[in-house]
């Protein structure tokens, strides 16, 4: 049977879908010849076709594009131990069977609930096992490039998160800008109630229960409903940081 590779990652570039500027400094093939040869007395014209190799220098945050947050992003400790940083994430968490939970037809603006997740799994008779990778399609991907991408998404409730983690799930991905509700909504709830549990509730739950989240996925609508597939989502291995860029691929 032929396997289909589906890219679930966004291309990183300096576009409206990124809140922080992506700066790229490019060294062309011609300029590379000058830089590489200068130390040894060579000129651009000593290289084949008057060109050497190119290079780039980029400046961006670790939360740019499709990326994975490690437990350290949520706090210095998790489950009473020093929290794993992005370079500590076991590959077993990132290469495993996955399930897409399709909630894109919901009209709700509230965070995804435990009941929605539970009902979807029961509808398709899906039995989760430890290390299953969960990818949640909320329909937020359709707003990419629009101002609403930053403000009109649902987020995942703490109750839904806790429900999934109790199965031994370690990696959960979502197609929205963030894993929690939009900042303006969390700030409004906190300002009105003075209850700080409204501030990044699912992120901060990672201090209690260890897990990684992937934000800003795309193409989840191309994945099968109610059936398992293979997922590769290993983050870039950057020492001691809280997050890293992630190339997420589904193998169907």
């Amino acid at each position: 049977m032929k396997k289909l590779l589906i890219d679930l990652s966004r291309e990183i570039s300096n576009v409206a879908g990124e809140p922080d500027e992506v700066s790229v400094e490019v060294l062309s093939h011609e300029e590379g010849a000058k830089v590489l040869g200068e130390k040894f007395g060579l000129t651009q014209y000593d290289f084949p076709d008057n060109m050497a190799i190119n290079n780039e220098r980029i400046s961006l945050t670790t939360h740019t594009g499709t990326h994975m947050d490690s437990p350290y992003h949520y706090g210095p400790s998790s489950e009473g131990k020093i929290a794993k940083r992005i370079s500590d994430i076991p590959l077993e968490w990132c290469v495993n069977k996955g399930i897409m939970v399709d909630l894109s037809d919901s009209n709700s603006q509230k965070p995804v609930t435990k009941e929605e997740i539970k009902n979807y799994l029961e509808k398709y008779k899906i039995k989760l096992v430890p290390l299953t990778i969960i990818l949640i399609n909320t329909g937020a991907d359709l707003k990419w490039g629009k101002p609403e991408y930053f403000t009109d998404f649902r987020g995942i409730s703490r109750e839904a998160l806790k429900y999934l983690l109790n199965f031994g799930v370690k990696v959960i991905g979502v197609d929205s800008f963030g894993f929690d509700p939009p900042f303006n909504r969390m700030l409004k709830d906190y300002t009105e109630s003075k209850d700080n549990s409204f501030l990044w509730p699912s992120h901060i739950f990672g201090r209690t229960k260890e897990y990684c989240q992937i934000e800003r996925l795309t193409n989840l609508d191309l994945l099968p409903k109610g059936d398992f597939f293979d997922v590769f989502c290993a983050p870039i291995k950057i020492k001691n940081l809280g997050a890293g860029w992630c190339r997420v691929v589904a193998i169907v």
Side-chain angles (χ1 to χ4, degrees):
M1 182 180 294
K2 185 177 180 180
K3 293 184 178 180
L4 178 64
L5 301 180
I6 301 177
D7 192 346
L8 307 179
S9 310
R10 288 213 164 273
E11 183 178 68
I12 291 178
S13 61
N14 196 27
V15 295
E18 296 293 349
D20 298 297
E21 181 181 2
V22 178
S23 174
V24 182
E25 179 185 342
V26 177
L27 184 75
S28 71
H29 297 91
E30 291 81 6
E31 292 167 333
K34 297 174 184 177
V35 171
L36 287 173
E38 187 175 25
K39 184 184 296 185
F40 306 101
L42 302 178
T43 71
Q44 173 186 347
Y45 305 103
D46 290 308
F47 289 88
D49 302 318
N50 302 327
M51 294 184 293
I53 53 179
N54 86 318
N55 198 4
E56 297 90 16
R57 185 185 300 275
I58 63 174
S59 175
L60 71 170
T61 77
T62 54
H63 297 268
T64 299
T66 304
H67 63 277
M68 178 183 286
D69 293 341
S70 74
Y72 182 77
H73 178 56
Y74 321 135
S77 64
S78 179
E79 297 186 6
K81 301 171 291 186
I82 296 174
K84 286 183 176 64
R85 307 198 186 207
I86 202 66
S87 55
D88 303 322
I89 303 306
L91 285 176
E92 290 79 8
W93 291 15
C94 307
V95 185
N96 227 297
K97 293 292 182 183
I99 276 289
M100 186 271 290
V101 177
D102 187 15
L103 304 176
S104 58
D105 59 353
S106 172
N107 293 319
S108 175
Q109 293 298 308
K110 295 183 178 181
V112 170
T113 66
K114 169 187 172 181
E115 288 69 28
E116 286 179 283
I117 301 286
K118 186 171 184 289
N119 291 341
Y120 185 89
L121 297 178
E122 290 177 350
K123 175 182 177 180
Y124 289 101
K125 298 180 173 57
I126 299 168
K127 295 187 181 300
L128 298 182
V129 297
L131 300 185
T132 301
I133 297 172
I134 307 295
L135 307 178
I136 303 175
N137 182 15
T138 66
D141 182 39
L142 298 176
K143 299 183 178 74
W144 171 258
K146 303 175 183 177
E148 293 79 16
Y149 184 73
F150 303 107
T151 58
D152 295 355
F153 59 88
R154 299 185 61 186
I156 311 300
S157 71
R158 180 179 289 199
E159 291 70 30
L161 172 63
K162 184 177 180 180
Y163 174 74
L164 289 171
L165 297 185
N166 283 340
F167 286 100
V169 168
K170 289 294 187 181
V171 175
I172 305 172
V174 70
D175 63 336
S176 52
F177 175 73
F179 201 82
D180 279 300
F183 176 68
N184 61 313
R185 204 177 304 165
M186 290 190 291
L187 185 61
K188 179 177 182 294
D189 289 339
Y190 170 68
T191 301
E192 292 176 351
S193 66
K194 299 304 179 185
D195 180 356
N196 63 11
S197 68
F198 282 111
L199 299 176
W200 285 276
S202 290
H203 276 75
I204 290 176
F205 187 70
R207 300 175 186 175
T208 301
K209 194 79 171 176
E210 187 179 56
Y211 83 103
C212 292
Q213 61 192 36
I214 304 173
E215 297 172 327
R216 307 188 206 176
L217 290 166
T218 187
N219 293 331
L220 295 185
D221 58 306
L222 301 180
L223 299 175
K225 295 182 181 181
D227 201 4
F228 284 91
F229 46 86
D230 293 319
V231 179
F232 172 85
C233 59
I236 297 296
K237 197 172 182 181
I238 316 172
K239 188 175 182 179
N240 288 336
L241 299 190
W245 312 289
C246 197
R247 187 69 179 266
V248 186
V249 179
I251 307 168
V252 179

